[in-house]
Amino acid sequence: MTLPWHLYLMALMYVVAGLNHFRSPKLYEKIIPPYFPKPKLLNLISGFAEVLLGIALLTPILSSYAAWGTIALLIAIFPTHVYMHQNDKAGMRLPKFVLILRMPLQLGLIYWAYMYT
């Protein structure tokens, strides 16, 4: 069974993003809203989840579960996008319109993952 190229692209995107959580933890820790406890731990968990889900997306027996997990992860991290828009220090010096566009982009990523459920 050959997997579609866009599934490979999505899996690669999540694996690379997840690994980046370990390469640049401070970048991710500062965008975690302060009302969430233990940002260092949350960063490690979300990075590990992204890597694991990316790999699982390419495993036929797990891909549907991984797609649902990806959707859950995207929903769970949505508050970081809102926080980045509201807090200039967390916004990584991105223009406000980019920070606003990131929020509906999450819906597109959710739909992309949903295609594999």
Side-chain angles (χ1 to χ4, degrees), residues 25-116:
K26 296 287 184 210
L27 175 74
Y28 292 92
E29 291 165 12
K30 79 176 190 174
I31 67 171
I32 296 173
Y35 47 85
F36 286 118
K38 301 184 181 183
K40 289 181 182 186
L41 178 60
L42 289 175
N43 174 58
L44 294 174
I45 291 169
S46 60
F48 179 73
E50 283 182 310
V51 171
L52 188 65
L53 289 168
I55 293 168
L57 283 167
L58 299 178
T59 309
I61 197 166
L62 299 174
S63 62
S64 179
Y65 298 109
W68 283 114
T70 300
I71 292 168
L73 180 66
L74 290 167
I75 292 168
I77 65 169
F78 187 80
T80 63
H81 297 294
V82 175
Y83 180 64
M84 288 174 67
H85 178 261
Q86 294 173 336
N87 184 315
D88 289 335
K89 290 181 182 177
M92 298 186 292
R93 299 182 185 163
L94 294 171
K96 285 289 186 184
F97 79 92
V98 172
L99 295 171
I100 290 171
L101 289 175
R102 287 175 56 115
M103 291 184 249
L105 176 64
Q106 288 291 103
L107 295 174
L109 293 173
I110 288 170
Y111 177 73
W112 190 10
Y114 183 74
M115 290 174 27
Y116 302 106

